[in-house]
Amino acid sequence: MNLFIYESNEQLNAAAANLMAAELQRNPKAVLGLATGSTPIGMYEKLVEMHRAGLVSFREATTYNLDEYVGLPRDHEESYYTFMNRHLFRHVDLPEGSTHLPLGNAENPADECLRYDASIEQANGIDLQILGIGHNGHVGFNEPGDELHSGTHIVQLAEETRKANARFFASLDEVPSEAITVGMGVILKARTILLLARGADKAEILKRALRGPITTQVPASLLQLHPNLIVMADSEAGRLLQA
Ligand code: PGA
């Protein structure tokens, strides 16, 4: 594992964006695994800035997002489809057909999961997977539990996750209770994983994920098994890993 701890958010955003830009320079056809949540927003902002300056192009890239809420139409304000358009897709040169998110309101969710996995496989898997980490150790929406799934699946969101995400909705009641998420197998098959964490509230779980036992109760702990894991944290999230 390569761990980088940055003094400022600006440095973290620049380092993460530079890593993705370098991947795209090395391999313009890269398949990128993308994440939503507040953590990667600064990285996306930086990438948009770099794109506007002519420093990075997504023209030949393909993207797969980790997850989507079940039941929200794509054009809902808080769908992850809308999030990605707002923060990245509409500002860069990614062709429309090259971006993928699970369809949260698919008529047949089980088929949608199979379709998503098949599509990732057809693209020859993910080159660079961006991840945030939930306070409970989830990655994507793989919530802690007695078991984890390998492929894309429907998941009941943990109450803690719904509460954490309620800040984006008018009330807790409006936060969907289910999501479609890629499974741990899809994530672990990515050739490189970039885990991002920022803020003091992530320090404890980041330490458990990276230094604690590997357990389905902390899904991010499975990342310890990955041969090419890069972790970028700000000094607050990385506080307990400094020693
Ligand atoms: P956050 O969410 O980036 O909004 O903290 C991370 C996650 O839940 O995976």
Side-chain angles (χ1 to χ4, degrees), residues 37-39 132-134 138 167 202:
S38 49
T39 306
I133 181 170
H138 75 201
R167 65 192 194 276
K202 296 285 173 71

Side-chain angles (χ1 to χ4, degrees), residues 36-40 132-135 138-141 161 165 167-168 202:
T36 52
S38 49
T39 306
I133 181 170
H135 294 107
H138 75 201
V139 282
F141 274 135
T161 300
N165 291 2
R167 65 192 194 276
F168 302 113
K202 296 285 173 71

